[in-house]
Amino acid sequence: MKRFFPGGLRRYRILLLVSLVFLSSVLGAGAALYFAPRLMFRPLPPASPPQGLINQPVGLPAQYTADSPVVTIARQVGPSVVGVQAMTGTNYTGDGVVKQGSGVIFDTTNGYIVTNNHVIAGAGRITVSLDREQTYPATLVGADERSDLAVLKVQGPNLPQARLGDSSTLQVGETVVAIGNPLGREFARSVTVGVISALNREVTVPGSRGVEITLRVLQTDAPINPGNSGGALVNLRGEIIGINSVKIAASGVEGMGFAIPINDVRPIIDQIITRGYVTHPFLGVYNLQEITPEMAQWYNIPVGVYVGGVFKDGPAAKAGLQVGDVITAVENQKVATYDDIQRLINKKSPGDQVTVTIRRLKSPNPVNYTITLGELPK
């Protein structure tokens, strides 16, 4: 019998271990070459969508599709955006002019529709179109020129209804969708996509009676064209967060559209429905002139707004304001323009008190007056 010496046994074990390692490497490489292409090109399972984007608000049963949330928004919100045709003058073939705009059904039970005042101002006849076949005559519930809002009423079966959201939660850069009827019924319910470009912008536009009005608006780069006025600006939850109103249409300017925040719209349409009109706070001064820093330096007067007139028995007169006073602050916030004053006053309601700081030209010291605001005469 052959004997194995200790040295030979050690070499045998080393040889066996090397052989096993080599064989494992060959088998592993072969398996990798076989399975890797199949795993690499195998479609991955869909990722779980982020929480909060797929939770539909109550009353909106549609679920977001795999394509895009915009597809769902167009399907579920689009039907509640209507076309508004307002005829001014006598007839379609004579002196009549037809203005085209958009509107949003926000109360299907009563058939209430919100739109812009400038769309229906001066109209003798108003119609609302849901599509090419469904057109209804509309009655004007009420309108407010200063906010550029109006409420219409139609009667029709199974009217779709949009859901109003909360514009106070909006953030700059948030994706929004604009839906409306640019250029009339031929392009009904056109859908455009953009972002919130800015919050709390102020734009001054001519009112329907020629008086300039200042609107506090959302700025968006979602394309808004003539006929979109009164249409919907929608967030990715399918909620109306603004009513499209105006656009800067100047040479070299693109992507500057504006919408009235829905939180500003709500109290206006509530007043229109309950009262038929909207009350606005009234300070009781007029013929206001801005005192610029240059004028203040030249004439040695304070920067602010010069009061050229005070309504007799108005709120300001009752509090003690006089012609020649310079308003320098409202509610302890400096003011330099008429718009500054209006912005702060418009946060109040008739009957509320407001503190106005003035400087009299003969007095070096500022004086505070507490004024109880009245109601703006119609």
Side-chain angles (χ1 to χ4, degrees):
M1 178 180 292
K2 184 183 288 187
R3 295 181 61 186
F4 289 95
F5 296 98
L9 181 58
R10 188 178 301 110
R11 285 193 298 272
Y12 173 76
R13 289 176 177 173
I14 293 173
L15 180 62
L16 181 60
L17 180 60
V18 171
S19 299
L20 289 173
V21 171
F22 176 76
L23 182 60
S24 298
S25 301
V26 172
L27 291 175
L33 291 173
Y34 179 79
F35 288 108
R38 290 160 175 76
L39 292 174
M40 288 177 65
F41 296 101
R42 183 179 179 182
L44 295 174
S48 299
Q51 293 298 317
L53 293 181
I54 61 172
N55 295 329
Q56 293 295 310
V58 175
L60 298 178
Q63 299 297 314
Y64 287 148
T65 68
D67 301 317
S68 165
V70 179
V71 174
T72 304
I73 290 169
R75 289 175 182 171
Q76 69 183 23
V77 182
S80 65
V81 179
V82 300
V84 177
Q85 298 80 41
M87 189 188 79
T88 61
T90 56
N91 55 63
Y92 286 103
T93 58
D95 299 327
V97 175
V98 178
K99 294 188 291 185
Q100 302 277 355
S102 305
V104 179
I105 303 173
F106 65 92
D107 183 340
T108 185
T109 303
N110 296 293
Y112 289 140
I113 298 168
V114 60
T115 186
N116 286 139
N117 174 68
H118 74 260
V119 172
I120 53 83
R125 177 182 176 187
I126 304 172
T127 58
V128 167
S129 57
L130 272 68
D131 51 39
R132 288 182 178 276
E133 289 75 31
Q134 293 180 289
T135 300
Y136 302 106
T139 57
L140 178 62
V141 178
D144 182 54
E145 181 179 19
R146 293 176 68 88
S147 62
D148 194 27
L149 293 170
V151 175
L152 308 176
K153 181 180 176 66
V154 298
Q155 292 183 340
N158 303 318
L159 295 174
Q161 177 175 317
R163 178 173 180 180
L164 307 185
D166 181 3
S167 55
S168 69
T169 63
L170 288 172
Q171 301 181 66
V172 173
E174 183 173 338
T175 300
V176 289
V177 178
I179 306 177
N181 293 6
L183 306 180
R185 254 188 282 182
E186 292 297 320
F187 301 95
R189 298 195 179 107
S190 292
V191 175
T192 56
V193 181
V195 299
I196 294 293
S197 304
L199 305 169
N200 299 316
R201 291 292 199 215
E202 289 187 356
V203 294
T204 300
V205 296
S208 57
R209 292 179 291 184
V211 179
E212 288 189 340
I213 59 174
T214 299
L215 301 174
R216 190 176 73 92
V217 290
L218 307 168
Q219 181 184 334
T220 178
D221 66 347
I224 296 175
N225 298 290
N228 272 110
S229 293
L233 193 66
V234 190
N235 63 17
L236 288 186
R237 290 184 294 276
E239 301 165 330
I240 310 297
I241 46 83
I243 299 298
N244 298 324
S245 182
V246 295
K247 174 186 179 180
I248 295 181
S251 177
V253 177
E254 293 184 7
M256 292 190 71
F258 301 94
I260 305 169
I262 204 64
N263 286 15
D264 292 350
V265 173
R266 286 177 184 269
I268 298 297
I269 60 179
D270 284 346
Q271 287 194 57
I272 289 175
I273 292 170
T274 56
R275 299 179 180 177
Y277 66 97
V278 179
T279 61
H280 292 282
F282 177 56
L283 188 61
V285 294
Y286 62 97
N287 284 350
L288 302 179
Q289 181 178 351
E290 299 170 9
I291 306 297
T292 66
E294 292 80 10
M295 295 172 64
Q297 185 176 6
W298 293 337
Y299 299 108
N300 193 28
I301 55 178
V303 173
V305 180
Y306 177 86
V307 177
V310 179
F311 284 99
K312 183 180 180 181
D313 297 327
K318 290 179 180 179
L321 264 68
Q322 303 174 7
V323 173
D325 287 343
V326 177
I327 300 175
T328 58
V330 175
E331 294 291 87
N332 297 317
Q333 297 186 45
K334 291 183 179 180
V335 294
T337 66
Y338 169 75
D339 288 341
D340 290 341
I341 296 175
Q342 282 300 112
R343 183 182 68 255
L344 295 168
I345 295 297
N346 286 339
K347 293 180 180 179
K348 304 285 187 175
S349 299
D352 289 347
Q353 291 187 330
V354 61
T355 300
V356 176
T357 305
I358 66 100
R359 285 274 302 276
R360 292 225 161 97
L361 299 185
K362 296 181 180 180
S363 174
N365 300 318
V367 180
N368 288 332
Y369 286 88
T370 299
I371 301 175
T372 300
L373 297 172
E375 182 175 326
L376 184 70
K378 290 189 275 185

